[in-house]
Amino acid sequence: MGFLSVFLGGGLGASLRWLVTSKIHYHWGTMVVNVLGALLIGALYGYISTKTTLRPEIKLFVMTGLLGGFTTFSTYLLDFALLCEKENFLEAATYLLLSVVVGLLVLFAGIRLSHFVFTA
């Protein structure tokens, strides 16, 4: 059942990633997906850590499947490498730093937000 949960969530997450990146072109769509994914995974982690009654299949579907399929770290690295290959070093560095810094900030914001919302 765990495999099926990850499989279905991953397919849905990858489809959602395609939808977002098809609307926001180039590497910036990937950054938006990764930042949004960081916020969502932070919020869901915060929620799940306070609600231990969720079935393991639901956790696998959402965290590993849906958000794992939605976020695109490997594509992120490829986009960075391609920018460097084109010698767009300033844009590559900006992309790299913004993705990591903003991603971390919204991850922590998602965790705090979920603790505020679900423990109040």
Side-chain angles (χ1 to χ4, degrees), residues 52-70:
T52 57
T53 59
L54 284 178
R55 293 179 42 189
E57 295 84 8
I58 294 172
K59 292 178 186 179
L60 285 171
F61 176 83
V62 175
M63 299 290 284
T64 305
L66 181 69
L67 292 175
F70 182 68

Side-chain angles (χ1 to χ4, degrees), residues 92-104:
T94 302
Y95 174 62
L96 180 78
L97 291 172
L98 280 176
S99 294
V100 171
V101 171
V102 174
L104 284 171

Side-chain angles (χ1 to χ4, degrees), residues 38-39 42-43 101-115:
L39 174 65
V101 171
V102 174
L104 284 171
L105 289 172
V106 299
L107 172 74
F108 288 121
I111 290 171
R112 290 190 184 269
L113 176 66
S114 69
H115 284 292

Side-chain angles (χ1 to χ4, degrees), residues 53-90:
T53 59
L54 284 178
R55 293 179 42 189
E57 295 84 8
I58 294 172
K59 292 178 186 179
L60 285 171
F61 176 83
V62 175
M63 299 290 284
T64 305
L66 181 69
L67 292 175
F70 182 68
T71 59
T72 56
F73 194 71
S74 59
T75 305
Y76 159 72
L77 293 177
L78 178 61
D79 287 341
F80 174 78
L82 293 174
L83 286 168
C84 289
E85 193 172 85
K86 293 177 185 175
E87 298 185 1
N88 293 337
F89 298 114
L90 180 59

Side-chain angles (χ1 to χ4, degrees), residues 8-22 33 65-66 69-70:
L8 294 174
L12 182 59
S15 297
L16 290 171
R17 177 181 68 226
W18 172 82
L19 185 64
V20 171
T21 58
S22 69
V33 164
L66 181 69
F70 182 68

